[in-house]
Amino acid sequence: MSQAFRTEAGGLVDRGRALAFLFDGREYEGHPGDTLASALLANGVHRVSSGIRTGRPRGIFAAGVEEPNALVQIEEPFPEPMLTATTVELYDGLVARGLRGRGRLAADPDPGRYDGMYAHCDVLVIGAGPAGLAAAAVAASSGARVVVVDDQIRAGGSLLGTGEHLDWVDRVAAELAAAPEVRLLTRTTAVGYYDDNYVVAVQRRPGLPEHRARERVWRIRARRVVLATGAHERSVAFAGNDRPGVMLAGSARTYVNRYGVLPGRRAVVLTGNDSAHDAARDLAAAGVEIAAIADLRDGWAITGVAGTERVEAVTLRTPDGIERRLEADLLLVSGGWNPVGALYSQAGGRLVHDPGLAAFRPDGNCRQALEVAGAAAGSYTLGVCLAEGAAAGRRAAEAAGLEAGAIVLPEVSDPEGRPPLAVWTLPGGDPATAFVDLQRDVTVADLTRATGTGMRSAEHVKRYTTAGTAHDQGKTSGALTSGVIAELLGVEVGALGVTTFRPPFTPVSFAALAGRNRGMRFDPVRVTALHAWHEANGARFENVGQWKRPWYYPREGEDMAAAVLRECWAAREGVAMMDASTLGKIDVRGPDAAVFLDRLYTNMISTLAPGAIRYGVMCRPDGMVFDDGTVIRLAEDRFLVTTTTGNAAAVLDWMEEWLQTEWPELRVHCTSVTEQWATVALVGPDSRRVLATLAPALDVSRAGFPFMTWRDAEVAGRTARVCRISFSGELAYEINVSWWDAVALWEALLAAGAPFGITPYGTETMHVLRAEKGYPIIGQDTDGTVTPHDLGLGWAVSRKKADFIGRRSFSRTDTARPDRKQLVGLLPDAGSLLPEGSHLLTGPDETAALGHVTSSYHSAALGRTFALALVRGGRDLIGQTLWATLDDGVTPVTVTGSVLYDPEGTRRDG
Amino acid sequence: MMLIPCPWCGPRDESEFHYGGQAGVAYPADPDALSDEEWARYLFFRDNPKGPFRERWSHSAGCRRWFSLVRDTVTNEVLR
């Protein structure tokens, strides 16, 4: 029978429309306004899942985010694991199944869209129950900018569950929604509370077309925050307290009043406070037979629960000690109410134990600009909640310099109640079936074992037993766990405390956090002016930082090795060209620019004449190499320095830091011009002739344009700056033109070089060519523990300058050690290509490594494989044999100097 | 997400800033006058207090200004 447990009338569901859904393969119906849990209960389904460790049947225990049991996997329309049936809004076509702990991630990309939103406000109210609505209404009356977030589909909070004053709720909600300075966000859960009142909330937006965001992550900065997050009911630990049909009393009340669903036909109630009596009254009015109310304050208890798939009977013990078995399909439990203190705790506030409340509540002394109102503060009567909320809203408006007006609150008279009694455990039965944490299957027996091993802190017991670490983060079990531990240790629960709450309050999907920053938007992709040409001509790309750089250009039928050998051969024997535009370029200018660069580089820059170029090395103060590049002197007061591609931003930051913090007296400005200049490296014995064709006015002779100088010239009809720099040991030029002229230059070079077989090459060939010459790549052949001397760059370290960054460190005993790792070359005896990272051993059976391979290639020029390596005392080992580790053994290698090709430098000038 | 007061731009989100460690550790005027140990203390040793700490920040994703402030390392409150 469909929805046999739905009441005749009442509740906040739309009975006029039916929604069909599948659960565990069976078809059911529910209504708009239902959660998956309320719709299942309406159809008499209690068992939803199984305990993750015990496999015991588990049912629906609560009615909101605190649910520990009813874990489900959504299968359609898109798989989503680890949701709770109590928080999944029912929709037509929903397909779900119960989960035993772990779910299944989707194998396909999520087709949904997710987005991020930012908001600033005077007052952020978290929770739209009675306290939160009163706070928001008062604050809004002042004209303050107010944001209200609430995790339910409509405002009302606990009033939705009690069914009281809904007309007032609807009127206030409508006024807030219409107010121009107020943003009322329902279906929005505040999940994180960070420094300086920065709150992150996740908004669900079901039922929208696919192009609209399914979820939004709101990042809200608030002048003041009112926490009106309410309270969660907790259970009592007794044997069999996990059976389907055992339910928190307040949640059962919510199912009846809000959803028009009867969670059972005949109920026993176990409570230590008044609220469960109200629940019993509402259930009885709706037609549930109340078999008994066992009030712990009067000496009643429960000694047994019968039934496995569902509660069948409950054994009571009367105050006189007489046991009575009652048939029942529902056992309502109320061990008390815990103020929801997670966000308060995240904000840096402390939760203290309040004996009168029999619960932990916020201590009211948080350093952040917030206050707590209503049940979240431990006020459990409606009149007090409303008054506290209104007062909090008024103070929040005043803090923004605004004056709040009067609002209409419902007339309520709070009843005189009996104080609650905190009862953590009931004696009798097997403590291994008395659960404290249903989601982690942690029992009183587990806690007893933990305290038995000597653990005294709730944090230790949590980590040992995993209590409170499931995705419900112990919302219903945290205080109960502390209570039971305190009982076991014989200490006051207040002295023990509760474990720390950390974000997120409820699980958040990575898709929501990523928002739009997926795929192409994950990280910016930087391309050069020549990128389209590279793509059109079959380049394979490699990522260098955010840049896409051509890696190699395979021809038909070529693999990478063949393409790189061909490209290398062209550079060594003919002419080749590369897009070098990604090199970092920084314009350094000002009267003190030369002084500044002298302090920054290890070598002397100030003696450089305008028109000349010098290679330079930068170190950190600890003497370790940080970057290298060339320095071009454009004028007395102006330089252009280049950096490695990946380090361009870091070098600019480095310059700014020293200028601002140590040398503010220096008159220097640094400007990144990386993307203003496009750079083409023209390399090889025939490069001079190609350049001469395109720059007829430029004297390209050896004497007229010597190595390490630059000239302004017209190249291919474009304004260009040509540098005679070589990163390959060959005669070479770097031609710089405006980014806009790059394609014209590139194509002109291709045409002019065609008679010489000009060959475009990529980064792999560049690496081989430089490695043959022993030029290190910072970040590949170095790792932040390498000095210029270790690299054989001692010649680039000035002995004349009074000081430069890193100089003092070169005389530290550690940097002066003779057995430091030094850059050397390696020739594998068997001709194999060594894996980069291979360890280098002194013998085939040794295990202690002297160093490791940093670069390894096939060389067209040498006709063999070779490698660069950092080796302890390496320069003293030249000529000796070491052993390099491979996946399946070792191979002998001969240590050489790091310059393997043309060590005399005969090819540099063509 | 701390709100950090940039002296030029005013309060901005922490994610716009780059952290620069302890403030007031000046580059020694005459590094040669320092023993190896004293130089190593300049290079490698920094305070790590629980409580007020004067530290450097750079508004790296904004105006790029370097500045110092005092932050309570327990509460993240910016004291001055």
Side-chain angles (χ1 to χ4, degrees):
Chain A
M1 190 167 61
S2 179
Q3 306 197 46
F5 290 82
R6 188 76 72 179
T7 55
E8 291 288 316
L12 301 171
V13 294
D14 176 5
R15 291 164 189 263
R17 274 180 60 207
L19 303 175
F21 67 101
L22 271 180
F23 184 76
D24 279 346
R26 296 188 57 180
E27 289 179 26
Y28 300 103
E29 275 188 358
H31 297 300
D34 264 327
T35 61
L36 176 57
S38 68
L40 287 171
L41 290 173
N43 290 281
V45 179
H46 269 254
R47 180 180 177 168
V48 169
S49 63
S50 310
I52 185 169
R53 286 200 302 154
T54 60
R56 287 163 70 96
R58 290 290 160 76
I60 295 163
F61 186 71
V65 294
E66 72 272 33
E67 173 64 42
N69 261 351
L71 281 179
V72 297
Q73 163 92 36
I74 303 298
E75 298 288 5
E76 286 178 30
F78 188 77
E80 224 182 322
M82 301 287 288
L83 299 177
T84 46
T86 54
T87 59
V88 173
E89 204 175 314
L90 191 70
Y91 52 87
D92 203 44
L94 173 71
V95 177
R97 63 183 168 88
L99 267 192
R100 182 176 171 181
R102 296 186 192 86
R104 176 176 71 85
L105 285 171
D108 303 319
D110 189 341
R113 296 186 69 151
Y114 301 82
D115 219 333
M117 300 288 284
Y118 293 84
H120 297 258
C121 59
D122 297 313
V123 186
L124 169 64
V125 179
I126 302 177
L133 280 178
V138 172
S141 73
S142 73
R145 291 177 305 162
V146 178
V147 174
V148 187
V149 302
D150 188 275
D151 72 330
Q152 296 297 306
I153 62 171
R154 57 197 295 168
S158 62
L159 298 178
L160 299 175
T162 63
E164 304 165 294
H165 306 292
L166 292 178
D167 50 341
W168 176 77
V169 168
D170 289 343
R171 199 178 67 242
V172 172
E175 283 168 11
L176 290 174
E181 294 294 339
V182 177
R183 200 192 294 268
L184 175 59
L185 298 171
T186 54
R187 293 187 175 96
T188 305
T189 311
V191 294
Y193 198 129
Y194 303 91
D195 286 317
D196 293 310
N197 271 358
Y198 189 82
V199 173
V200 173
V202 179
Q203 180 185 24
R204 296 169 300 283
R205 298 166 17 116
L208 293 175
E210 202 162 80
H211 69 280
R212 311 222 7 222
R214 286 177 60 193
E215 293 184 10
R216 282 171 166 175
V217 173
W218 286 82
R219 296 176 175 90
I220 306 166
R221 182 79 74 176
R223 196 188 296 265
R224 285 188 76 81
V225 172
V226 177
L227 284 177
T229 47
H232 287 156
E233 205 164 16
R234 64 168 182 262
S235 185
V236 177
F238 57 89
N241 66 347
D242 65 323
R243 294 302 188 195
V246 177
M247 186 181 281
L248 293 169
S251 301
R253 190 184 188 192
T254 296
Y255 284 117
V256 168
N257 290 327
R258 176 172 171 182
Y259 299 105
V261 167
L262 301 180
R265 300 288 185 208
R266 186 173 150 89
V268 171
V269 182
L270 174 73
T271 183
N273 63 80
D274 290 348
S275 72
H277 292 267
D278 298 332
R281 185 198 61 221
D282 286 5
L283 263 69
V288 178
E289 184 186 346
I290 305 297
I293 297 179
D295 196 318
L296 294 158
R297 294 172 294 186
D298 299 328
W300 291 75
I302 282 177
T303 57
V305 181
T308 302
E309 289 286 320
R310 179 75 187 270
V311 172
E312 290 165 9
V314 177
T315 306
L316 292 184
R317 200 191 60 213
T318 68
D320 311 329
I322 301 162
E323 295 205 342
R324 269 177 36 206
R325 181 184 158 100
L326 297 175
E327 303 290 316
D329 60 357
L330 193 60
L331 173 53
L332 303 185
V333 181
S334 182
W337 291 82
N338 300 318
V340 177
L343 292 176
Y344 185 80
S345 179
Q346 289 180 25
R350 255 169 32 88
L351 301 174
V352 293
H353 188 251
D354 184 330
L357 211 57
F360 290 90
R361 63 161 172 78
D363 69 352
N365 191 27
C366 182
R367 64 187 161 78
Q368 300 226 35
L370 67 79
E371 56 183 298
V372 191
S379 304
Y380 292 153
T381 53
L382 183 54
V384 176
C385 287
L386 291 165
E388 279 184 9
R394 183 173 306 279
R395 283 190 293 271
E398 278 167 9
L402 299 163
E403 198 178 323
I407 65 153
V408 179
L409 293 174
E411 292 283 331
V412 279
S413 57
D414 288 341
E416 282 293 317
R418 291 172 69 191
L421 176 69
V423 173
W424 309 110
T425 60
L426 298 182
D430 181 359
T433 65
F435 289 85
V436 288
D437 184 335
L438 292 160
Q439 198 170 113
R440 281 281 191 240
D441 264 352
V442 177
T443 65
V444 172
D446 296 320
L447 298 183
T448 308
R449 194 175 307 115
T451 54
T453 64
M455 293 181 196
R456 294 292 178 268
S457 132
E459 297 283 358
H460 288 157
V461 174
K462 168 182 174 176
R463 281 153 184 78
Y464 179 67
T465 63
T466 72
T469 63
H471 96 330
D472 67 346
Q473 291 286 288
K475 290 181 179 65
T476 56
S477 63
L480 179 57
T481 303
S482 286
V484 176
I485 298 170
E487 208 169 277
L488 290 166
L489 295 176
V491 301
E492 287 295 316
V493 65
L496 194 69
V498 284
T499 56
T500 308
F501 292 96
R502 295 188 178 84
F505 175 64
T506 54
V508 182
S509 69
F510 281 107
L513 291 175
R516 295 190 176 212
N517 301 323
R518 295 196 291 176
M520 282 292 286
R521 291 198 184 93
F522 178 68
D523 197 37
V525 173
R526 301 173 78 186
V527 297
T528 71
L530 296 165
H531 190 72
W533 189 93
H534 301 320
E535 279 190 317
N537 287 272
R540 300 284 188 275
F541 291 90
E542 83 167 325
N543 295 327
V544 182
Q546 293 172 330
W547 289 100
K548 294 274 178 213
R549 295 197 68 178
W551 193 12
Y552 59 99
Y553 299 84
R555 287 184 181 161
E556 189 75 31
E558 271 184 346
D559 62 5
M560 177 170 168
V564 171
L565 285 174
R566 173 178 53 75
E567 291 173 12
C568 285
W569 193 254
R572 292 272 181 234
E573 298 300 329
V575 61
M577 60 196 250
M578 181 186 71
D579 181 359
S581 304
T582 63
L583 279 183
K585 308 175 200 81
I586 302 171
D587 184 287
V588 179
R589 79 159 89 180
D592 297 318
V595 175
F596 173 60
L597 294 177
D598 268 354
R599 294 183 189 178
L600 224 51
Y601 284 94
T602 60
N603 37 0
M604 189 77 90
I605 303 297
S606 52
T607 55
L608 193 64
I613 302 170
R614 192 162 287 166
Y615 171 75
V617 178
M618 270 186 220
C619 289
R620 299 270 185 188
D622 64 5
M624 303 304 150
V625 174
F626 162 51
D627 201 61
D628 71 345
T630 54
V631 181
I632 297 170
R633 190 160 203 168
L634 300 173
E636 272 304 312
D637 63 347
R638 193 170 178 195
F639 297 82
L640 185 85
V641 308
T642 65
T643 73
T644 54
T645 295
N647 241 357
V651 171
L652 185 64
D653 285 347
W654 186 238
M655 291 176 163
E656 281 293 339
E657 180 178 345
W658 285 90
L659 279 173
Q660 287 190 37
T661 65
E662 288 289 349
W663 308 320
E665 72 282 4
L666 294 184
R667 293 159 298 167
V668 180
H669 288 286
C670 303
T671 309
S672 168
V673 291
T674 301
E675 286 169 55
Q676 276 63 41
W677 290 102
T679 306
V680 177
L682 183 66
V683 178
D686 290 327
S687 58
R688 179 176 282 133
R689 278 184 279 181
V690 176
L691 180 62
T693 314
L694 291 179
L698 180 66
D699 176 1
V700 296
S701 67
R702 272 189 195 211
F705 193 178
F707 186 58
M708 295 305 260
T709 61
W710 62 269
R711 301 282 182 269
D712 279 338
E714 199 163 279
V715 180
R718 314 280 160 163
T719 302
R721 178 176 296 143
V722 186
C723 303
R724 259 214 59 200
I725 300 172
S726 179
F727 196 43
S728 58
E730 298 299 328
L731 174 67
Y733 302 87
E734 284 185 6
I735 307 167
N736 299 277
V737 294
S738 158
W739 201 259
W740 305 107
D741 290 337
V743 174
L745 172 69
W746 184 265
E747 285 176 346
L749 286 167
L750 272 179
F756 306 97
I758 195 164
T759 304
Y761 69 94
T763 50
E764 188 66 15
T765 291
M766 174 189 80
H767 279 183
V768 177
L769 297 174
R770 64 87 202 176
E772 289 168 344
K773 289 290 290 178
Y775 298 147
I777 297 268
I778 306 305
Q780 174 164 340
D781 300 298
T782 71
D783 59 4
T785 66
V786 179
T787 68
H789 308 86
D790 297 339
L791 293 174
L793 296 175
W795 59 267
V797 178
S798 168
R799 287 181 190 78
K800 293 182 190 148
K801 287 195 288 186
D803 198 21
F804 56 83
I805 295 173
R807 189 191 58 88
R808 174 64 183 78
S809 290
F810 296 145
S811 57
R812 287 181 65 230
T813 49
D814 181 60
T815 42
R817 277 190 297 120
D819 65 339
R820 290 183 62 81
K821 285 187 180 175
Q822 295 162 341
L823 187 73
V824 293
L826 299 178
L827 295 174
D829 295 356
S832 51
L833 183 68
L834 304 178
E836 289 174 357
S838 282
H839 287 273
L840 296 165
L841 315 173
T842 51
D845 300 317
E846 293 292 326
T847 51
L850 280 187
H852 64 279
V853 174
T854 57
S855 297
S856 175
Y857 309 101
H858 286 281
S859 167
L862 304 172
R864 57 166 305 147
T865 60
F866 73 106
L868 297 177
L870 285 171
V871 178
R872 198 172 296 281
R875 285 198 283 272
D876 290 337
L877 297 177
I878 289 174
Q880 297 189 25
T881 298
L882 293 176
W883 299 77
T885 57
L886 305 172
D887 283 346
D888 55 351
V890 293
T891 188
V893 298
T894 301
V895 180
T896 72
S898 60
V899 185
L900 287 159
Y901 182 74
D902 184 30
E904 303 80 16
T906 59
R907 306 183 62 84
R908 189 189 76 191
D909 296 317
Chain B
M1 176 78 77
M2 287 164 55
L3 206 52
I4 295 175
C6 170
W8 285 0
C9 307
R12 296 296 178 98
D13 283 352
E14 175 188 345
S15 54
E16 293 182 18
F17 294 84
H18 174 79
Y19 186 61
Q22 182 176 0
V25 184
Y27 186 81
D30 182 4
D32 291 328
L34 302 185
S35 67
D36 272 10
E37 185 185 330
E38 287 165 336
W39 180 248
R41 287 201 171 274
Y42 162 71
L43 289 179
F44 305 124
F45 285 66
R46 296 293 182 269
D47 295 339
N48 184 22
K50 182 177 180 180
F53 186 44
R54 200 156 84 84
E55 59 194 13
R56 306 187 311 156
W57 289 85
S58 159
H59 193 190
S60 51
C63 66
R64 302 178 66 74
R65 161 90 181 249
W66 278 91
F67 59 96
S68 299
L69 54 77
V70 177
R71 176 180 62 101
D72 187 318
T73 59
V74 177
T75 62
N76 275 348
E77 195 180 349
V78 176
L79 302 172
R80 60 184 179 275

